[in-house]
């Protein structure tokens, strides 16, 4: 991202719930994220606090359709969550077995090219700190050094031969459309989540969540140099290696539909 205005950042921070536990420590996460993204050149909007699912949907839809986005947008959601019909983020009226939730797939659809024209072909970063189920990852013993790989170890692999159009198939029923050069509506996004599907996400009442602590540390130290995929891989490693509570571990995960490398380059203006 090379423009002078890097873009807008929206933080939704749910702490007090009607029937779910208070998310103590989340205000630390929110404050630190605000400082981080302001330092990276973003305009961080006033925090949206203790929202229902409907309010979250309305705020996100309004944010997505704003005409004044810069090079990139950042959306942060700090809340309780679960895994039902995919990722579900609780609003403050949520109940342990359901109720007030926002399906995250519907959030991604709000930021498609048709519904968010000001963000067309621009990277969109989503950061979600929330549980994705009730399972606990108790980890496994680390009995030998990591065995990473590098480009030399994969250099013997040959690229796949490109398939013809007739060979490309979908698992869904085909829809016949006129042949016209198009781009996917849902793309140019990267979604980083605090934990794997089905599992709990951990938070310290004083220092904030494991995931957000790690993300802030990595971004502050390396955003001037590394692209977003490298940064998030470092975040994954830090959470996996550093944190443990009551024998439990945590493994963040991210998904990317970016079609080119994304760099913050906060020193570019100096």
């Amino acid at each position: 991202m090379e423009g002078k205005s890097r873009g807008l950042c929206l933080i939704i921070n749910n702490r007090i719930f009607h029937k779910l536990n208070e998310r103590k420590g989340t205000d630390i996460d929110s404050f630190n994220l605000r400082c981080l993204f302001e330092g990276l050149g973003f305009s961080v909007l006033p925090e949206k606090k203790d929202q229902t699912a409907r309010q979250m949907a309305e705020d996100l839809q309004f944010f997505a359709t704003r005409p004044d986005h810069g090079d990139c947008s950042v959306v942060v959601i700090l809340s309780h969550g679960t895994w039902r019909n995919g990722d579900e983020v609780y609003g403050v009226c949520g109940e342990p077995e359901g109720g007030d939730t926002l399906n995250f797939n519907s959030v991604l659809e709000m930021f498609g090219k048709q519904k968010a024209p000001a963000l067309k072909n621009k990277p969109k970063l989503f950061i979600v700190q929330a549980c994705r189920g009730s399972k606990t990852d108790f980890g496994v013993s680390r009995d030998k050094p990591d065995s990473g790989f590098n480009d030399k170890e994969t250099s013997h692999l040959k690229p796949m031969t490109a398939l013809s159009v007739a060979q490309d198939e979908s698992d869904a029923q085909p829809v016949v459309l006129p042949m016209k050069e198009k781009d996917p509506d849902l793309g140019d996004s990267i979604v980083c989540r605090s934990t794997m599907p089905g599992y709990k996400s951990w938070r310290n009442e004083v220092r904030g969540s494991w995931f957000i602590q790690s993300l802030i540390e990595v971004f502050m130290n390396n955003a001037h140099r590394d692209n977003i995929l490298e940064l998030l891989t470092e975040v994954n490693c830090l959470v996996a290696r550093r944190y443990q509570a009551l024998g439990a571990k945590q493994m963040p995960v991210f998904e990317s539909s970016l079609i080119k490398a994304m760099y913050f380059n906060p020193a570019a203006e100096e």
Side-chain angles (χ1 to χ4, degrees), residues 153-223:
E153 293 172 340
T154 58
S155 60
H156 66 284
L157 299 177
K158 297 180 180 180
M160 293 178 62
T161 303
L163 299 176
S164 70
V165 174
Q167 290 173 299
D168 289 336
E169 296 183 351
S170 168
D171 289 329
Q173 291 298 314
V175 178
V176 179
L177 296 173
M179 293 298 291
K180 180 181 178 181
E181 187 173 331
K182 303 175 76 175
D183 288 325
D185 184 38
L186 303 180
D188 305 304
S189 297
I190 185 157
V191 182
C192 42
R193 297 179 171 95
S194 59
T195 191
M196 300 288 284
Y199 283 84
K200 294 178 180 178
S201 186
W202 294 84
R203 173 176 23 86
N204 182 278
E205 294 183 0
V206 176
R207 296 187 294 274
S209 62
W210 297 356
F211 174 60
I212 299 300
Q213 287 183 67
S214 301
L215 185 145
I216 289 170
E217 179 178 336
V218 169
F219 278 38
M220 288 184 65
N221 290 335
N222 301 322

Side-chain angles (χ1 to χ4, degrees), residues 18-211:
H18 298 178
K19 296 185 179 181
L20 300 173
N21 292 336
E22 178 182 352
R23 298 185 60 255
K24 297 178 181 179
T26 189
D27 291 341
I28 299 296
D29 284 346
S30 180
F31 175 80
N32 288 338
L33 285 163
R34 172 175 292 276
C35 293
L36 170 68
F37 285 106
E38 286 179 346
L40 291 172
F42 286 83
S43 297
V44 183
L45 303 179
E47 176 189 75
K48 298 296 183 179
K49 190 72 176 285
D50 294 340
Q51 304 279 284
T52 64
R54 181 175 180 176
Q55 288 172 326
M56 287 192 289
E58 291 173 349
D59 289 335
L60 288 162
Q61 193 166 32
F62 179 79
F63 179 76
T65 56
R66 288 181 62 135
D68 54 341
H69 285 286
D71 293 336
C72 171
S73 72
V74 177
V75 172
V76 179
I77 301 177
L78 311 171
S79 191
H80 284 305
T82 188
W83 180 267
R84 234 183 348 259
N85 300 313
D87 279 299
E88 302 277 349
V89 179
Y90 279 111
V92 295
C93 296
E95 300 178 11
E97 299 302 322
D100 188 39
T101 61
L102 174 67
N103 185 279
F104 193 77
N105 285 340
S106 68
V107 176
L108 295 178
E109 291 173 359
M110 296 177 193
F111 288 79
K113 293 181 176 67
Q114 295 186 63
K115 295 182 178 179
L119 287 168
K120 183 177 181 179
N121 299 324
K122 296 179 180 179
K124 296 165 278 287
L125 174 61
F126 298 89
I127 299 170
V128 185
Q129 166 59 43
C131 287
R132 303 178 75 188
S134 58
K135 295 180 183 178
T136 299
D137 181 351
F138 288 106
V140 296
S141 298
R142 195 184 309 167
D143 53 9
K144 57 182 176 180
D146 294 338
S147 56
F149 63 89
N150 54 42
D151 291 341
K152 292 181 179 179
E153 293 172 340
T154 58
S155 60
H156 66 284
L157 299 177
K158 297 180 180 180
M160 293 178 62
T161 303
L163 299 176
S164 70
V165 174
Q167 290 173 299
D168 289 336
E169 296 183 351
S170 168
D171 289 329
Q173 291 298 314
V175 178
V176 179
L177 296 173
M179 293 298 291
K180 180 181 178 181
E181 187 173 331
K182 303 175 76 175
D183 288 325
D185 184 38
L186 303 180
D188 305 304
S189 297
I190 185 157
V191 182
C192 42
R193 297 179 171 95
S194 59
T195 191
M196 300 288 284
Y199 283 84
K200 294 178 180 178
S201 186
W202 294 84
R203 173 176 23 86
N204 182 278
E205 294 183 0
V206 176
R207 296 187 294 274
S209 62
W210 297 356
F211 174 60

Side-chain angles (χ1 to χ4, degrees), residues 1-6 39-41 71 223-225 263-270:
M1 295 181 289
E2 298 178 355
K4 187 173 182 180
S5 173
R6 290 198 166 79
L40 291 172
D71 293 336
H224 67 286
R225 179 191 67 221
Y263 289 87
F264 288 109
N265 291 333
E269 295 177 353
E270 297 179 357

Side-chain angles (χ1 to χ4, degrees), residues 208-243:
S209 62
W210 297 356
F211 174 60
I212 299 300
Q213 287 183 67
S214 301
L215 185 145
I216 289 170
E217 179 178 336
V218 169
F219 278 38
M220 288 184 65
N221 290 335
N222 301 322
H224 67 286
R225 179 191 67 221
D226 296 340
N227 66 47
I228 188 67
L229 300 183
E230 293 170 323
L231 292 170
L232 293 175
T233 300
E234 294 172 56
V235 172
N236 285 0
C237 181
L238 191 57
V239 174
R241 292 287 183 256
R242 174 180 287 176
Y243 294 98

